[in-house]
């Protein structure tokens, strides 16, 4: 106002600065989380966590990334409630989904699914075509940047972070031929409780 109208060039620069700041904050957040996991100092507050609304919220939050990648992220979430730390579960699922979406190709359809499993609850997401043919060791060691997913630390770092956070929550990350699976324990209710006759 005092200096006159802002030109489109300055608006573009401001947008780029905001995007860079978000990426930098995401890096700091991921490094902080990795350090806390390594030190065993991650604060945890166990409470009932409804996975269907949590996953729906993550899919909505990642919609701009999906549009930017030209990919489609969908969800099929069962009505499952687990006892865990809500913030940690959200970070776990969001980081895995963003990483897979960041490696997705234009026109690719990724599905984030939640279902009762034999040993808790299983959250699965489609493995993008770009990652097919790489074994676990290659994926965990692959530290190229994941385009646009908010992390500049690379695919391997993101997968190691997800694996370690899942382990901290009593679960595990499994890499299959066509999907990644997060297994989380301590299911309280919803579909899984009914499936087990609870």
């Amino acid at each position: 106002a005092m200096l006159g109208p802002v030109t489109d060039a300055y608006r573009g620069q401001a947008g780029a600065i905001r995007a860079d700041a978000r990426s930098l904050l995401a890096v700091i957040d991921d490094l902080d989380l990795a350090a806390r996991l390594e030190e065993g100092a991650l604060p945890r507050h166990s409470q009932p966590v409804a996975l269907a609304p949590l996953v729906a919220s993550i899919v909505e939050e990642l919609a701009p990334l999906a549009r930017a990648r030209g990919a489609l992220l969908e969800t099929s979430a069962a009505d499952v409630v687990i006892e865990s730390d809500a913030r940690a579960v959200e970070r776990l699922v969001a980081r895995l989904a963003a990483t897979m979406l960041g490696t997705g190709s234009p026109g690719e359809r990724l599905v984030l699914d939640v279902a009762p499993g034999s040993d808790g609850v299983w959250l699965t997401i489609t493995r993008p075509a770009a990652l097919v043919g790489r074994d676990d060791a290659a994926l965990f060691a692959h530290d190229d940047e994941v385009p646009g997913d908010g992390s500049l630390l690379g695919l391997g770092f993101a997968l190691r972070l997800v694996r370690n956070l899942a382990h901290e929550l009593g679960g595990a990350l499994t890499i299959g031929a066509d999907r990644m699976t997060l297994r989380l324990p301590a299911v309280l209710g919803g579909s899984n409780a009914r499936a087990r006759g609870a």
Side-chain angles (χ1 to χ4, degrees), residues 23 26-27 30-31 95-96 98-100 102-103 131 134 138-162:
S23 293
V27 167
D30 279 355
L31 289 172
R95 170 47 64 219
L96 179 61
T99 302
M100 293 302 98
T103 58
L131 302 183
R134 300 185 197 182
L139 289 172
F140 284 119
H142 191 282
D143 277 328
D144 288 350
E145 181 183 337
V146 179
D149 83 327
S151 174
L152 304 175
L153 298 171
L155 173 66
F157 179 90
L159 290 177
R160 293 190 302 271
L161 186 66
V162 167

Side-chain angles (χ1 to χ4, degrees), residues 72-115:
L72 183 63
L73 179 62
E74 298 176 346
T75 183
S76 171
D79 176 25
V80 179
V81 179
I82 64 172
E83 182 79 23
S84 193
D85 183 283
R87 175 70 178 131
V89 172
E90 180 182 15
R91 291 176 81 175
L92 175 67
V93 178
R95 170 47 64 219
L96 179 61
T99 302
M100 293 302 98
L101 198 51
T103 58
S105 303
E108 195 162 16
R109 177 176 172 263
L110 306 181
V111 178
L112 179 56
D113 184 47
V114 179

